[in-house]
């Protein structure tokens, strides 16, 4: 009985030992599997051998080197592309600058050419204007010379006539009255020192001539023989004739119209010089009259001293 129980206990102990061994083996195998076969979070095995670890490290290094090489290659490609792009941009900029410089040079040449053409046109126009001015100046100078020669001829003629020996004024024989018949016809007497009242002007002033009353259109005779020196128009005396009568004497006739003489003409005593005109604004109150003045060597003298 005791033997059976002992055998049963042995069998049970063996079974328990086997089960325990199996359980231990399974536990150890599971732990080994987990620690050796199953990969860790970083991709490595915990109990791998050194060669395997070295290979794995080498592989990782190679991968990293390959990756670095790829990155370096990519960076180089990028740099090359950037450099190429930069070179292309520089080339484009250079081309544009060269093109811009050429265009500016062409524009400058065109502008210079235009300025040159304009200068040529301006020079031609200036030369033409200068020629025209020169021609005009020459023409004016020629006309002036002609007029000067004419005036010189006239002056020579007047001078020759004035120096004519036949032009001698005889103060003893004196002059004839150009109009009227005597002193009774004098409106305003000669006064070189004392003043005379002028009714039209309503003032007193000196009078270098005599104002002789006359009718309109009355003939005016030459008081003495002589040569007509000049004919002029004055606001005070109207149309006025100056006659050189010789020996430094001049006879001046004013307030005239319808002249019968001309400049340089030689006239005799008693010839008709002209006719009495309407009085100027200086003599409206005095009425129609003859302004008669006599000068000796350019100085006015009293005509009454010479009128006979």
């Amino acid at each position: 009985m005791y033997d059976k129980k002992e055998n049963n206990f042995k069998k049970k102990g063996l079974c328990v030992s086997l089960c325990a061994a199996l359980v231990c083996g399974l536990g150890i195998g599971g732990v080994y599997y987990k620690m050796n076969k199953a990969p860790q979070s970083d991709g490595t095995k915990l109990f791998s051998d050194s060669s395997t670890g070295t290979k794995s490290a080498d592989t990782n290094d190679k991968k990293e080197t390959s990756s670095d090489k790829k990155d370096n290659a990519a960076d180089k490609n990028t740099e090359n592309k950037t450099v190429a792009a930069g070179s292309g941009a520089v080339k484009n900029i250079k081309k544009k600058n060269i093109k811009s410089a050429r265009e500016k040079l062409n524009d400058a040449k065109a502008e210079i050419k235009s300025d040159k053409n304009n200068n040529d046109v301006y020079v031609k126009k200036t030369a033409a204007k200068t020629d025209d001015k020169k021609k005009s100046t020459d023409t004016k100078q020629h006309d002036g010379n002609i007029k000067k020669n004419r005036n010189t001829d006239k002056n020579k003629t007047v001078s020759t006539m004035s120096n004519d020996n036949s032009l001698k004024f005889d103060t003893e024989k004196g002059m004839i009255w150009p109009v009227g018949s005597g002193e009774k016809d004098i409106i305003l007497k000669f006064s070189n020192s004392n003043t005379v009242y002028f009714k039209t002007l309503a003032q007193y002033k000196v009078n270098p001539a005599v104002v002789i009353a006359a009718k309109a259109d009355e003939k005016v005779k030459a008081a003495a023989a002589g040569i007509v020196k000049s004919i002029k128009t004055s606001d005070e005396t109207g149309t006025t004739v100056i006659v050189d009568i010789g020996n430094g004497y001049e006879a001046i006739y004013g307030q005239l119209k319808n002249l019968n003489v001309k400049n340089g003409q030689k006239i005799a005593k008693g010839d008709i010089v002209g006719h009495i005109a309407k009085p100027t604004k200086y003599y409206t109150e005095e009425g129609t009259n003859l302004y008669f003045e006599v000068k000796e060597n350019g100085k006015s003298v009293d005509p009454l001293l010479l009128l006979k």
Side-chain angles (χ1 to χ4, degrees), residues 221-238:
K221 297 175 289 187
I227 297 172
V228 178
K229 184 179 179 180
S230 65
I231 299 172
K232 64 179 183 179
T233 302
S234 168
D235 290 338
E236 182 179 358
T237 61

Side-chain angles (χ1 to χ4, degrees), residues 166-215:
S166 61
L167 273 180
K168 290 182 179 180
F169 176 64
D170 189 352
T171 56
E172 294 296 328
K173 292 181 179 180
M175 300 177 173
I176 63 173
W177 285 81
V179 291
S181 57
E183 291 188 35
K184 61 181 179 66
D185 296 320
I186 294 177
I187 302 173
L188 294 171
K189 292 183 178 181
F190 172 87
S191 178
N192 200 22
S193 57
N194 298 324
T195 57
V196 179
Y197 183 73
F198 285 74
K199 188 184 292 186
T200 302
L201 300 177
Q203 66 179 9
Y204 287 89
K205 68 172 189 172
V206 296
N207 185 20
V210 290
V211 178
I212 305 171
K215 296 179 180 179

Side-chain angles (χ1 to χ4, degrees), residues 8-9 49 70 74-75 122 157 170 212 215 230 252 266:
N8 287 333
F9 279 118
D49 56 3
K70 289 180 179 180
D75 293 337
Y122 177 76
T157 303
D170 189 352
I212 305 171
K215 296 179 180 179
S230 65
I252 301 172
K266 189 174 183 178

Side-chain angles (χ1 to χ4, degrees), residues 27-38 47:
I28 292 170
V31 172
Y32 176 80
Y33 175 79
K34 286 182 179 182
M35 297 178 67
N36 189 34
K37 297 295 181 179
F47 294 104

